[in-house]
């Protein structure tokens, strides 16, 4: 067990994209970080980058759709660092980017399992640790597709609308126990997941991109700034909020 007075964060999907960017931002403040991912190579690389910044990090390989593995990543974090103070509940996939009826049942199930079931499992095991310690801060990853309808992402949109409901309902349930829980709703952001989606669906992506008032994609570091603020800020009265970060996409 590390002897540290620093706060501890768990980040799911921490091997890249928004998870890695947020880990590196938190590392600048000396936060202990557990990186959760299915990719050992990417997860360990994030830990290496965390340690380059002088913070402590561990990688825990886990499938967020497996409740026992979720429990284990929470238990290992507590046994290593002593507590869970922050949780970036971020792991997710976009799905195949096809019209709903062109998806297989297996593709639908996979998106639902990772994006929604995996997020719920994480909350189920993290919340008791935070309550035990007198509180904590959680940020869930939703999406602009959780705020408005978007073509060719029906299953994804269902999960991200679900994350909005989960965030607001849990804030109502646990705010009086010191839990601060919010969600971010990124628009199209330059992550590996978005790059893959763009390559698979160039026409759909071009149509969406043209509707962003700032006429550019977001950067992972910009989202990380917002997530870090919500996790670490003294603005504890922000609770149950869903904050778009989308270049104005949902403003029009």
């Amino acid at each position: 067990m590390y002897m540290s007075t620093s706060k501890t964060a768990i980040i799911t999907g921490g091997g890249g994209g928004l998870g890695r960017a947020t880990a590196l931002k938190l590392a600048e403040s000396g936060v202990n970080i557990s990186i959760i991912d299915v990719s050992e190579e990417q997860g360990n690389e994030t830990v290496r980058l965390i340690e380059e910044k002088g913070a402590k990090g561990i990688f825990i390989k886990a499938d967020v759709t497996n409740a026992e593995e979720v429990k284990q990543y929470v238990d290992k974090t507590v046994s290593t660092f002593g507590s869970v103070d922050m949780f970036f509940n971020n792991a997710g996939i976009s799905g195949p980017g096809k019209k709903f009826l062109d998806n297989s049942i297996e593709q639908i199930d996979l998106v639902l399992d990772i994006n929604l079931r995996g997020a719920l499992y994480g909350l189920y095991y993290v919340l008791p640790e935070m309550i035990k310690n007198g509180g904590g801060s959680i940020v869930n990853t939703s999406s602009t597709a959780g705020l408005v309808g978007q073509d060719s992402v029906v299953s994804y949109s269902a999960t991200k609308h679900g994350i909005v409901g989960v965030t607001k309902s849990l804030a109502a349930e646990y705010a009086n126990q010191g839990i601060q829980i919010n969600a971010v709703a990124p628009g199209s952001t330059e992550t590996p997941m978005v790059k893959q989606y763009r390559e698979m669906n160039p026409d759909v992506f071009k149509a969406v991109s043209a509707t962003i008032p700032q006429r550019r994609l977001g950067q992972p570091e910009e989202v990380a700034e917002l997530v870090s603020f919500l996790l670490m800020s003294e603005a504890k009265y922000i609770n149950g909020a869903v904050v778009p970060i989308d270049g104005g996409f949902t403003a029009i």
Side-chain angles (χ1 to χ4, degrees), residues 34-230:
S34 285
I35 294 297
I36 316 303
D37 209 287
V38 291
S39 170
E40 290 186 39
E41 180 181 358
Q42 293 180 355
N44 282 316
E45 174 62 11
T46 300
V47 170
R48 185 188 70 79
L49 294 169
I50 288 168
E51 292 176 343
E52 273 189 358
K53 290 183 174 288
K56 295 183 176 68
I58 59 171
F59 168 66
I60 306 169
K61 183 176 182 179
D63 175 355
V64 298
T65 70
N66 184 311
E68 184 58 35
E69 291 187 23
V70 172
K71 182 179 186 300
Q72 287 173 0
Y73 78 60
V74 175
D75 289 346
K76 185 171 181 180
T77 299
V78 173
S79 66
T80 302
F81 295 121
S83 66
V84 181
D85 306 289
M86 293 171 268
F87 182 35
F88 185 28
N89 196 14
N90 169 69
I93 60 172
S94 63
K98 300 177 180 178
K99 297 289 188 182
F100 181 62
L101 295 181
D102 293 329
N103 284 256
S104 67
I105 291 297
E106 291 76 18
Q107 288 170 324
I108 293 169
D109 285 346
L110 183 63
V111 173
L112 293 175
D113 284 348
I114 293 175
N115 293 7
L116 190 54
R117 191 187 303 273
L120 286 168
Y121 287 167
L123 293 162
Y124 185 81
Y125 289 109
V126 164
L127 278 166
E129 294 297 330
M130 289 186 169
I131 292 168
K132 186 191 307 180
N133 293 328
S137 184
I138 297 169
V139 173
N140 296 318
T141 299
S142 183
S143 166
T144 54
L147 302 176
V148 298
Q150 292 182 28
D151 191 352
S152 301
V153 289
V154 170
S155 299
Y156 178 80
S157 180
T159 64
K160 295 307 182 178
H161 275 81
I163 291 295
V164 170
V166 167
T167 299
K168 293 182 177 184
S169 296
L170 282 177
E173 286 189 16
Y174 293 105
N176 66 350
Q177 296 190 57
I179 304 299
Q180 183 182 12
I181 177 164
N182 297 292
V184 293
S188 296
T189 308
E190 284 280 15
T191 64
M193 184 176 79
V194 170
K195 181 181 178 182
Q196 182 183 41
Y197 180 85
R198 178 172 56 190
E199 290 172 350
M200 292 171 59
N201 308 277
D203 293 337
V204 172
F205 193 84
K206 184 177 179 181
V208 171
S209 299
T211 64
I212 301 172
Q214 286 188 227
R215 295 295 187 268
R216 68 172 179 87
L217 301 188
Q219 296 301 311
E221 293 75 17
E222 292 174 311
V223 179
E225 288 278 357
L226 173 59
V227 174
S228 299
F229 169 76
L230 292 171

